[in-house]
Amino acid sequence: MFQSNSFCKTTRLLIYFTVFSVQSLYAQHVYFGERNLTKHSSSLCFDQEGNIYPDFFIADTALQNCNHSLAIWYQKHPNQLTEICKLYKIDISVNKFNINELNDSISSKNAQKINQKSYNSVTFLVHGYRKSFEAPEGTITSVIEFDLLEKNIDSLGLKSQFVEVYWDGTYDCCFSVFDKKRNEYLFSQFENAQIHAPNVGIALRKVVNQIENEHINFVGHSLGSKVVASTLFNLKLNDIQTPHQKDIRVCLIAPAIGGTEIFENYRSRNTDLNFKEKDNYSWYILHNEKDFALRKKDSKMGLFGPGCLQYGNTTLGCNYQNEIEKLQQLFTKQYPNSTLKFENMTWMGKKHSLKYYAEGNILKNAVQFLSK
């Protein structure tokens, strides 16, 4: 009897740890192939390589088995690929399949959807690192935060067409005060997400470049700021045109990026616009010196953690070593005809999540900036 109970307990433990390990592995990436195509008809979704999701059901488990890559999934599922290509009017029976051609077709169709609506502006919302698309009850997903943000921005007077941008910024739970190994794993995932962000930004350009509205807004939170930056200028060499619209306004909320490190590339753009004389980009940055996530310290005491220079630079959002002043000096010296404004949100304390910014009048000044 004793041996039987021990065996059962051991078996249960093995099953538990096996399930936990599988869930942990599964949670490392975020998939959008099972999204509700009606609810998310105007959303843009990207995998880690910057491939844009088609309006087609793709099982999360199938993507998991394809190294989290749409490109690999296409290769392994020729029948479904044929259906998708028909949907986007690509004849792969004549031409060898080219994923860039498919990405371009999907991007164009999404741009057409956006252009069909009439608003004074189009506002792209981009979430940051470690945001799940669908998660267990009680978890604040990117979907929930976008919903809160849109309602708040609308209540503050910006009547804009919102386009939600979802990307594989990885996801897993959760940071701990005392579990150093667990935290190091999550920080390493943050490093991976930083590598993916420019791929998504470059791919997002393909949609933005086809938007007919001349007033475009971007609202990027945390690491989503790197996606936005890569949409607007080159953090990674490529030949995709940078956005050309006359009035592009950017609000970065608690940006998980370096300041001078990122913006030293500001003039690296693929455009014929004389932006050095009259810049079509304007910037508004909300920073918080006590933000625990940007400082990479524990959320309780603020004492434990690697700091904002390790596992990726997050100095801008928390103004580490006067990064705000350094960026202001860079703009004054090298980009004097460009608009750059800041708002100090240190009074918010250690908070980082986008949901906290989507409360009351916190974004009042930022919304006024976007509305002008």
Side-chain angles (χ1 to χ4, degrees):
M1 184 69 176
F2 176 79
Q3 290 179 340
S4 177
N5 287 339
S6 297
F7 177 78
C8 289
K9 289 180 179 179
T10 302
T11 302
R12 285 197 296 270
L13 283 172
L14 286 172
I15 292 172
Y16 170 80
F17 284 116
T18 299
V19 171
F20 177 83
S21 297
V22 169
Q23 288 177 336
S24 180
L25 176 65
Y26 178 78
Q28 290 177 10
H29 288 268
V30 185
Y31 310 110
F32 310 104
E34 296 184 7
R35 70 193 185 284
N36 184 319
L37 295 177
T38 300
K39 180 180 179 181
H40 294 283
S41 61
S42 61
S43 300
L44 306 175
C45 303
F46 300 90
D47 73 0
Q48 60 183 336
E49 297 167 334
N51 297 309
I52 188 168
Y53 276 77
D55 289 343
F56 193 89
F57 179 87
I58 302 174
D60 291 351
T61 51
L63 281 168
Q64 183 186 5
N65 293 329
C66 292
N67 198 30
H68 330 290
S69 167
L70 279 169
I72 296 175
W73 185 87
Y74 289 143
Q75 292 174 5
K76 292 187 175 182
H77 298 80
N79 293 335
Q80 290 94 326
L81 174 60
T82 299
E83 292 183 55
I84 292 171
C85 286
K86 286 181 180 178
L87 180 64
Y88 291 95
K89 297 179 170 47
I90 296 174
D91 188 358
I92 59 173
S93 63
V94 177
N95 302 310
K96 186 177 180 181
F97 173 65
N98 184 326
I99 192 170
N100 291 327
E101 184 182 1
L102 178 56
N103 283 333
D104 290 347
S105 294
I106 298 172
S107 297
S108 295
K109 188 169 183 179
N110 278 284
Q112 289 170 11
K113 292 179 187 177
I114 297 169
N115 289 331
Q116 286 173 357
K117 299 180 181 179
S118 179
Y119 284 83
N120 291 330
S121 65
V122 177
T123 300
F124 292 88
L125 309 177
V126 189
H127 65 78
Y129 165 62
R130 215 169 66 80
K131 296 307 302 183
S132 61
F133 188 66
E134 293 183 356
E137 185 177 350
T139 301
I140 302 297
T141 66
S142 53
V143 177
I144 292 173
E145 286 195 329
F146 279 158
D147 184 57
L148 292 172
L149 184 63
E150 289 167 21
K151 289 177 179 177
N152 184 256
I153 290 176
D154 184 79
S155 71
L156 293 172
L158 178 58
K159 308 302 179 182
S160 184
Q161 179 182 359
F162 294 107
V163 180
E164 299 168 353
V165 179
Y166 298 95
W167 63 289
D168 182 3
T170 70
Y171 174 77
D172 209 340
C173 186
C174 295
F175 283 99
S176 168
V177 177
F178 302 109
D179 191 341
K180 184 178 179 181
K181 288 186 177 180
R182 177 65 181 168
N183 292 345
E184 286 178 348
Y185 159 74
L186 290 174
F187 286 132
S188 69
Q189 287 295 88
F190 178 65
E191 286 186 303
N192 290 335
Q194 291 175 78
I195 296 171
H196 302 160
N199 298 332
V200 178
I202 294 168
L204 180 56
R205 280 186 203 177
K206 294 182 178 182
V207 178
V208 176
N209 286 340
Q210 298 178 69
I211 301 305
E212 296 170 356
N213 198 312
E214 287 296 320
H215 183 176
I216 305 290
N217 295 323
F218 289 90
V219 179
H221 175 248
S222 194
L223 191 57
S225 300
K226 191 168 186 178
V227 174
V228 173
S230 188
T231 304
L232 299 176
F233 53 93
N234 295 328
L235 300 181
K236 183 176 180 180
L237 289 178
N238 68 94
D239 59 2
I240 307 300
Q241 290 294 302
T242 44
H244 56 82
Q245 287 84 359
K246 182 166 50 177
D247 187 7
I248 296 179
R249 296 172 181 263
V250 187
C251 175
L252 302 183
I253 301 173
I257 57 175
T260 54
E261 176 187 78
I262 293 293
F263 282 90
E264 67 181 4
N265 302 290
Y266 190 55
R267 283 188 173 174
S268 179
R269 306 188 203 176
N270 310 327
T271 181
D272 294 327
L273 293 175
N274 187 5
F275 61 87
K276 295 178 184 179
E277 295 295 327
K278 184 177 177 58
D279 198 348
N280 58 325
Y281 302 165
S282 302
W283 299 81
Y284 195 94
I285 298 175
L286 288 79
H287 59 96
N288 178 358
E289 295 180 9
K290 294 184 179 180
D291 186 315
F292 85 98
L294 299 177
R295 294 178 67 239
K296 299 194 192 83
K297 299 291 184 179
D298 69 274
S299 61
K300 302 298 181 182
M301 295 174 283
L303 299 175
F304 305 103
C308 56
L309 290 174
Q310 295 189 49
Y311 298 100
N313 189 332
T314 55
T315 55
L316 180 59
C318 61
N319 193 28
Y320 179 74
Q321 294 186 345
N322 300 311
E323 189 67 13
I324 297 295
E325 182 181 349
K326 293 174 185 176
L327 184 57
Q328 285 177 318
Q329 291 174 352
L330 176 67
F331 265 67
T332 299
K333 183 178 179 180
Q334 296 191 26
Y335 322 130
N337 296 317
S338 302
T339 300
L340 176 67
K341 297 184 178 182
F342 296 92
E343 185 172 355
N344 192 337
M345 310 299 288
T346 303
W347 60 268
M348 291 183 66
K350 298 174 184 176
K351 297 174 181 177
H352 178 72
S353 178
L354 184 57
K355 67 180 180 180
Y356 297 118
Y357 285 89
E359 294 178 350
N361 292 324
I362 290 176
L363 293 178
K364 179 180 179 180
N365 294 332
V367 169
Q368 287 180 348
F369 175 83
L370 296 173
S371 300
K372 292 180 180 179

